[in-house]
């Protein structure tokens, strides 16, 4: 490389940090690496789930909406999960049973039950969701890996319906 280009690159390398001192990244390299590792670990755990007659549910509580959360089959990626309305005629959802509505936001559960085949209209989102009839729920985690790409997706006050990746 010619000397004048080498000098220009060196000068740019020395000045560039000064140009960006007011900028702030939203996630450090370690954060990105951590997210990638936890996503990899989560995907490995999903692949290792035992097949069976149950579902995995992630509570997605929003103040303004009446859906329950995301439900998927064991071994299935979160991107294939369905946002459901919970039919609690047989069994109350864990938060309602505890008398603390929405207190289990973003918790992960092993769900026993099945889809009724009915589609339920949810007026706040102006959308229709499949109905899941709950028979029992077993807590898997109160702090599971992140399944959303949208910042603040689990904030109950935000009117954003984030889809899992």
């Amino acid at each position: 490389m010619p000397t004048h280009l080498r000098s220009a690159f060196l000068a740019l390398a020395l000045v560039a940090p000064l140009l960006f001192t007011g900028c702030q990244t939203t996630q450090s390299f370690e954060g990105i690496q951590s997210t990638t590792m936890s996503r990899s670990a989560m995907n490995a755990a999903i692949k290792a789930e035992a097949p069976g007659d149950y579902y995995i549910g992630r509570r997605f509580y929003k103040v303004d909406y009446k859906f329950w959360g995301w439900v998927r089959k064991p071994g299935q990626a979160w991107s294939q999960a369905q946002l459901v309305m919970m039919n609690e005629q047989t069994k109350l959802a864990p938060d309602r049973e505890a008398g603390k509505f929405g207190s289990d936001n973003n918790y992960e559960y092993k769900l026993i039950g099945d889809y009724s085949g009915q589609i339920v209209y949810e007026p706040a989102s102006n959308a229709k969701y499949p109905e899941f009839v709950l028979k029992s729920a077993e807590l898997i985690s109160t702090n599971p890996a992140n399944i959303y790409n949208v910042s603040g997706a689990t904030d109950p006050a935000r009117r954003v319906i984030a889809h899992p990746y």
Side-chain angles (χ1 to χ4, degrees):
M1 175 183 298
T3 306
H4 69 282
L5 286 177
R6 189 176 303 142
S7 297
F9 281 122
L10 181 59
L12 182 61
L14 293 173
V15 173
L18 299 174
L19 297 173
F20 298 108
T21 56
C23 297
Q24 181 178 357
T25 59
T26 56
Q27 190 173 24
S28 67
F29 173 74
E30 291 82 12
I32 292 168
Q33 189 176 22
S34 173
T35 300
T36 302
M37 286 191 309
S38 41
R39 186 179 302 172
S40 297
M42 177 181 66
N43 289 336
I46 288 171
K47 288 179 182 176
E49 289 171 347
D53 194 20
Y54 68 97
Y55 294 86
I56 304 296
R58 179 72 66 96
R59 182 69 161 111
F60 188 61
Y61 174 70
K62 295 291 181 174
V63 173
D64 296 327
Y65 301 110
K66 304 303 179 209
F67 43 67
W68 181 82
W70 297 96
V71 174
R72 65 175 177 80
K73 293 179 181 177
Q76 188 178 58
W78 279 110
S79 61
Q80 296 177 300
Q82 292 185 311
L83 191 54
V84 303
M85 298 292 284
M86 189 68 74
N87 178 323
E88 300 174 88
Q89 291 179 354
T90 304
K91 173 76 173 164
L92 292 176
D95 61 333
R96 192 182 308 271
E97 188 173 60
K100 299 176 183 175
F101 194 66
S103 63
D104 61 347
N105 184 40
N106 204 39
Y107 286 15
E108 193 166 291
Y109 293 96
K110 177 180 181 180
L111 303 175
I112 305 297
D114 217 337
Y115 290 93
S116 69
Q118 300 296 311
I119 301 297
V120 180
Y121 176 70
E122 198 285 318
S125 63
N126 192 30
K128 297 176 182 177
Y129 303 99
E131 179 183 59
F132 188 86
V133 180
L134 183 65
K135 292 182 183 171
S136 71
E138 176 185 321
L139 182 63
I140 294 174
S141 177
T142 60
N143 190 24
N146 182 34
I147 61 171
Y148 307 104
N149 284 331
V150 177
S151 178
T154 59
D155 180 349
R158 289 195 59 197
R159 291 191 62 130
V160 61
I161 301 174
H163 296 268
Y165 59 80

